[in-house]
Amino acid sequence: MNSQKRLPNHEGEYQCSLCREWKPRWEYHKASHRGSGLHYACKTCARPISRKKKLLKLYGLTLEQFELKLLSQDGKCACCFRGMTLEGKNSKKICVDHDHDTGQVRDLLCGRCNLAAGNVDDSSLLAEKLRNYLAKWGR
């Protein structure tokens, strides 16, 4: 833990410890345990670090394995085949689909498909019932 308080420059901006750019306060995540109350890295720099830690901790995937999987899926959701990207303001959330009982990683899904799979408890039987219901109403 770093107790040294970072100070803003004359324009009220803070320097990112990674890219070394000066950015406004809103470009940083809050970190109450730090002297300045801000994360040491700007949101842009912190994003890949956070993703890398989460992938390894939750799914046992390295960032390289994740990127290869995304490449093998041609950058598309394994369910709806819509394009997904990691960067940019309009990027689609990329979710690692996995079996909640075994932890086995399946494929990468967009946020909507991942949510839909979870809402039917990853059950193809429930998904089929939902499909039949929607088909009944012409959808």
Side-chain angles (χ1 to χ4, degrees):
M1 185 166 12
N2 182 0
S3 60
Q4 182 180 359
K5 187 172 181 175
R6 289 186 353 194
L7 298 174
N9 65 12
H10 65 281
E11 295 177 8
E13 297 175 325
Y14 291 82
Q15 188 177 33
C16 172
S17 296
L18 298 178
C19 69
R20 310 302 294 167
E21 291 181 29
W22 290 88
K23 298 182 177 184
R25 186 175 193 83
W26 56 267
E27 286 280 353
Y28 296 86
H29 290 289
K30 293 179 182 176
S32 59
H33 66 281
R34 300 191 57 85
S36 64
L38 302 174
H39 193 273
Y40 68 91
C42 67
K43 290 177 182 178
T44 303
C45 291
R47 189 175 296 124
I49 296 167
S50 176
R51 181 181 298 127
K52 185 176 181 178
K53 286 180 181 178
K54 182 179 177 183
L55 287 170
L56 197 56
K57 182 179 179 182
L58 295 179
Y59 311 112
L61 284 177
T62 65
L63 187 56
E64 292 76 24
Q65 290 170 320
F66 173 83
E67 289 171 345
L68 280 174
K69 189 167 251 323
L70 183 60
L71 188 62
S72 74
Q73 291 180 207
D74 198 26
K76 295 180 179 160
C77 172
C79 183
C80 70
F81 306 109
R82 289 185 182 137
M84 303 183 296
T85 59
L86 288 172
E87 304 303 328
K89 197 168 183 102
N90 296 324
S91 64
K92 304 290 184 215
K93 182 177 181 188
I94 300 176
C95 301
V96 178
D97 181 42
H98 64 287
D99 185 306
H100 288 262
D101 294 328
T102 66
Q104 179 185 8
V105 171
R106 295 187 282 226
D107 282 315
L108 303 178
L109 301 177
C110 68
R112 290 177 62 171
C113 289
N114 188 57
L115 184 62
N119 283 338
V120 294
D121 296 327
D122 291 341
S123 166
S124 57
L125 180 62
L126 281 176
E128 183 63 22
K129 287 180 180 182
L130 179 60
R131 190 200 73 74
N132 290 338
Y133 171 78
L134 292 173
K136 173 181 159 183
W137 296 100
R139 304 294 277 165

